[in-house]
Amino acid sequence: MSWFRTLDPIWQALAAGMFTWGLTAVGAALVFGLVNVHRKMFDAMLGFAGGVMLAASYWSLLAPSIEVAAEQGWPSWFPAAVGFLGGGAFLYVLDRILPHLHRGLPMESAEGMKTAWQRSVLLIIAITLHNIPEGLAVGVSFGGTASGLESTSYGSAVALAIGIGLQNVPEGIAVAVPLRAEGMSRVKAFMIGQASAMVEPIAAVVGAAVISVSAPVLPFALSFAAGAMVYVVVEELIPETQQQGNEDLATLFLMIGFTVMMILDVALG
């Protein structure tokens, strides 16, 4: 893979975003074989995804943000604090403005501005909101590798892409199979499942491009992505795993996901 390392960071980010999208499609494709997902497995998968995102938020994003800030001459805490809160605020605003519907809820529970859009469209928007931070995180990480700073590394960016890709497989399953169980056709459930991550390559390119144009924003961008991912985990994933009495199982898999991502980042970064 030495050829990949020589690519421009924007192309690396695009390829990594396509990789994470592709693994979502792999998970969603299991709808052609599975009839349903047991609720315990569903909550375990969401817990694992949340653990990966939480670990990535610190090991791949916040910690490098603090180190990059110090190298650039900022107070080490300032970009991390501002970016982290900004990322959460960004997702909060999108959550309030864009009409969307979370999985398993009736149309009456749709959030954001009122609209007559179909249920499938609202579901795609909800899942897209979830995936924007993941794409941004991957793009910012690869964009940071061109900065020449010691605290950014190609290995860490690759580890983040692998981690996000791994947790996208169960996410694809968790989106597509329940839709099939609701009566949606397998093809349509698959299309919605894989479409949930289409935004990741786009967000990855945007993140890498921003860093390429203005390297000083790197510590802010890293922590911004971290704040957005933590917002998604706390606002959506964790509450969703607490509804059917599987709290302990979901927590266990969250810790497993956290550990897997931590190992990837430390081993490769």
Side-chain angles (χ1 to χ4, degrees):
M1 295 292 287
S2 58
W3 62 270
F4 183 76
R5 190 163 189 167
T6 63
L7 292 176
D8 182 89
I10 293 179
W11 286 106
Q12 291 177 336
L14 176 60
M18 295 294 289
F19 167 75
T20 59
W21 176 20
L23 288 184
T24 304
V26 168
L30 293 180
V31 74
F32 293 106
L34 295 175
V35 176
N36 201 352
V37 175
H38 193 279
R39 183 68 200 201
K40 286 188 175 181
M41 182 180 294
F42 181 81
D43 289 339
M45 291 189 295
L46 291 182
F48 180 86
V52 169
M53 293 174 71
L54 286 178
S57 297
Y58 175 73
W59 294 98
S60 300
L61 299 169
L62 275 178
S65 170
I66 293 169
E67 295 174 7
V68 168
E71 291 182 60
Q72 291 184 342
W74 293 96
S76 58
W77 56 269
F78 181 72
V82 171
F84 185 80
L85 293 176
F90 173 71
L91 259 293
Y92 174 83
V93 171
L94 288 184
D95 202 46
R96 292 297 177 271
I97 294 177
L98 291 179
H100 61 283
L101 178 67
H102 293 295
R103 291 166 293 204
L105 296 180
M107 285 292 289
E108 297 75 31
S109 299
E111 300 177 18
M113 295 187 297
K114 299 301 180 183
T115 179
W117 293 347
Q118 294 182 352
R119 175 183 177 85
S120 58
V121 175
L122 296 178
L123 287 168
I124 291 176
I125 294 175
I127 303 160
T128 298
L129 286 175
H130 177 151
N131 286 286
I132 289 175
E134 297 175 9
L136 281 176
V138 170
V140 168
S141 294
F142 277 103
T145 62
S147 67
L149 298 172
E150 294 182 3
S151 48
T152 60
S153 73
Y154 169 79
S156 181
V158 170
L160 178 60
I162 293 173
I164 295 297
L166 287 176
Q167 63 100 30
N168 273 1
V169 175
E171 277 194 359
I173 299 172
V175 173
V177 176
L179 291 178
R180 171 59 180 165
E182 291 181 7
M184 189 175 291
S185 72
R186 295 183 190 275
V187 172
K188 189 173 183 180
F190 166 74
M191 293 304 295
I192 291 178
Q194 63 83 30
S196 67
M198 286 178 64
V199 71
E200 291 192 12
I202 299 171
V205 168
V206 170
V210 168
I211 302 306
S212 298
V213 172
S214 181
V217 306
L218 177 58
F220 294 93
L222 287 167
S223 55
F224 181 93
M229 287 213 294
V230 169
Y231 182 92
V232 168
V233 173
V234 177
E235 193 271 341
E236 180 182 345
L237 294 186
I238 291 179
E240 194 164 353
T241 64
Q242 309 293 302
Q243 298 175 2
Q244 302 292 326
N246 298 320
E247 295 89 345
D248 290 345
L249 179 67
T251 301
L252 173 63
F253 274 84
L254 185 145
M255 296 183 70
I256 292 173
F258 188 101
T259 303
V260 168
M261 184 65 233
M262 177 179 66
I263 292 172
L264 280 172
D265 192 87
V266 174
L268 298 179

